[in-house]
């Protein structure tokens, strides 16, 4: 499959794991486990289509409010997923990164994550970013406080504050804005995901639950993206 244009940066809000499990009378965690298969399938597709940046929303700053049992299972799953996938990432020259406030992530999962980030830091076949303990409002507020501090210290001047500078203070510094955002499970909202970065992102909503979302669904989203006319406020030429 070839496309007339593909996104340089694809972002995904992987939603619907719990409902997928509920439909089968299973515990929610089985939805998360199945969701990992979807992630693997999407990563394969993204590599094949030569998309350079993939960012996936894995755990939001608000998800900490879920029952402790689910949070613990998700953190253990994160640890297990990275351990199992690290050889694949290395073999395929995939750079793993994260965005989010990871101080809250349990030590074991955090050290596995940081080790994988370190071991893959020189790769750039694909930049895979996990949004973990991520909240866009928190990210923006963090940026504002760091910028204020730097203004106070004289590192920057108020008149230097522009889009480029502001972006460099976000967790996503160095990562281009997403061109396409996919949200699964039929929810039509951003749920505190990349609010600043998605100013001109094309959005694709699908009713498919994340554990059912596989490469063919990615292909359908990319087919749809191919037809989009991105104007960025200008007139069409
Ligand atoms: C997305 O699936 C995964 C996470 C938020 C961690 P959900 O767990 O939100 O599944 P639903 O939305 O309840 O079906
Ligand atoms: C968004 O899904 C976060 C992730 C997919 C990780 P949620 O399930 O947490 O979002 P809401 O609560 O339905 O908005
Ligand atoms: Mg959800």
């Amino acid at each position: 499959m070839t496309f007339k244009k593909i996104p340089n940066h694809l972002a995904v809000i992987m939603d619907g794991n719990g409902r997928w499990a509920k439909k089968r009378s299973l515990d929610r965690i089985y939805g998360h486990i199945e969701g990992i298969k979807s992630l693997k399938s999407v990563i394969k597709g993204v590599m094949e289509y030569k998309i350079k940046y993939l960012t996936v929303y894995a755990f939001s700053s608000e998800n900490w409010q879920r029952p402790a049992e689910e949070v613990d299972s998700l953190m253990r799953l994160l640890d297990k997923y990275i351990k199992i996938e690290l050889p694949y990432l290395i073999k395929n020259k995939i750079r793993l990164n994260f965005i989010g406030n990871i101080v809250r992530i349990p030590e074991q999962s955090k050290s596995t994550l940081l080790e994988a980030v370190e071991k893959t830091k020189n790769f750039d076949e694909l930049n895979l970013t996990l949004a973990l303990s991520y909240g866009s409002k928190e990210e923006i507020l963090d940026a504002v406080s760091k910028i204020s501090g730097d203004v106070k210290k004289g590192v920057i001047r108020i008149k230097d504050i522009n889009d480029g500078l502001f972006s460099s203070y976000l967790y996503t510094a160095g990562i281009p804005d997403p061109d396409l955002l996919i949200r699964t499970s039929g929810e039509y909202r951003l749920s505190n995901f990349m609010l600043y970065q998605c100013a001109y992102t094309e959005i694709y909503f699908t009713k498919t639950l994340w554990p059912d979302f596989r490469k063919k669904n990615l292909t359908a989203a990319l087919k749809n993206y191919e037809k989009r006319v991105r104007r960025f406020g200008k007139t069409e030429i």
Side-chain angles (χ1 to χ4, degrees):
M1 178 80 64
T2 50
F3 301 96
K4 281 195 222 76
K5 62 170 180 200
I6 52 148
N8 179 42
H9 182 180
L10 170 68
V12 186
I13 302 178
M14 311 183 287
D15 197 15
N17 298 354
R19 278 163 282 169
W20 184 92
K22 198 174 170 204
K23 265 177 38 184
R24 289 161 179 78
S25 307
L26 296 169
D27 190 84
R28 294 176 60 85
I29 192 66
Y30 291 99
H32 300 311
I33 292 170
E34 193 65 22
I36 287 185
K37 293 189 194 158
S38 301
L39 178 58
K40 286 194 202 172
S41 175
V42 165
I43 291 174
K44 266 197 173 160
V46 156
M47 295 284 290
E48 219 175 289
Y49 295 138
K50 304 205 179 333
I51 292 171
K52 287 311 255 182
Y53 293 85
L54 173 66
T55 302
V56 294
Y57 204 5
F59 194 86
S60 75
S61 48
E62 287 75 26
N63 289 151
W64 290 111
Q65 296 166 56
R66 292 190 178 194
E69 199 194 0
E70 182 171 348
V71 171
D72 289 351
S73 307
L74 278 167
M75 293 302 144
R76 273 200 297 275
L77 212 54
L78 170 69
D79 183 54
K80 195 170 154 194
Y81 166 75
I82 297 175
K83 277 189 181 130
I84 293 176
E85 291 307 309
L86 186 58
Y88 174 86
L89 300 180
I90 293 172
K91 185 163 167 254
N92 290 282
K93 299 193 165 36
I94 298 172
R95 179 178 185 173
L96 181 74
N97 227 321
F98 67 87
I99 50 172
N101 182 5
I102 62 154
V103 289
R104 295 182 72 181
I105 306 268
E107 276 317 313
Q108 167 74 51
S109 313
K110 194 163 50 193
S111 73
T112 303
L113 170 69
L114 293 175
E115 192 188 319
V117 167
E118 175 62 27
K119 286 197 169 140
T120 60
K121 70 176 184 203
N122 294 320
F123 299 142
D124 77 340
E125 213 44 49
L126 167 67
N127 286 276
L128 171 63
T129 303
L130 304 180
L132 282 172
S133 188
Y134 173 87
S136 187
K137 282 188 165 189
E138 195 176 336
E139 173 186 38
I140 291 169
L141 293 172
D142 263 10
V144 170
S145 88
K146 280 187 202 129
I147 289 172
S148 314
D150 281 351
V151 167
K152 210 170 162 190
K153 281 187 264 169
V155 179
I156 53 168
R157 294 162 298 178
I158 288 179
K159 65 179 170 83
D160 296 332
I161 301 172
N162 57 24
D163 181 30
L165 181 120
F166 193 79
S167 297
S168 75
Y169 279 82
L170 295 172
Y171 304 152
T172 48
I175 302 174
D177 289 343
D179 300 289
L180 174 64
L181 168 67
I182 297 174
R183 180 168 190 153
T184 59
S185 88
E187 304 297 352
Y188 303 101
R189 53 177 173 264
L190 292 176
S191 300
N192 205 9
F193 187 60
M194 294 221 199
L195 304 180
Y196 188 84
Q197 297 87 338
C198 285
Y200 265 105
T201 300
E202 296 296 323
I203 306 183
Y204 179 85
F205 292 108
T206 170
K207 286 202 163 61
T208 305
L209 302 173
W210 177 248
D212 290 325
F213 192 97
R214 297 295 156 93
K215 199 188 139 192
K216 66 175 194 315
N217 306 85
L218 171 70
T219 307
L222 294 174
K223 272 262 149 229
N224 184 286
Y225 175 78
E226 192 180 35
K227 296 193 297 251
R228 305 276 182 106
V229 181
R230 304 184 74 188
R231 281 183 281 274
F232 300 97
K234 297 170 205 158
T235 49
E236 215 176 314
I237 350 160

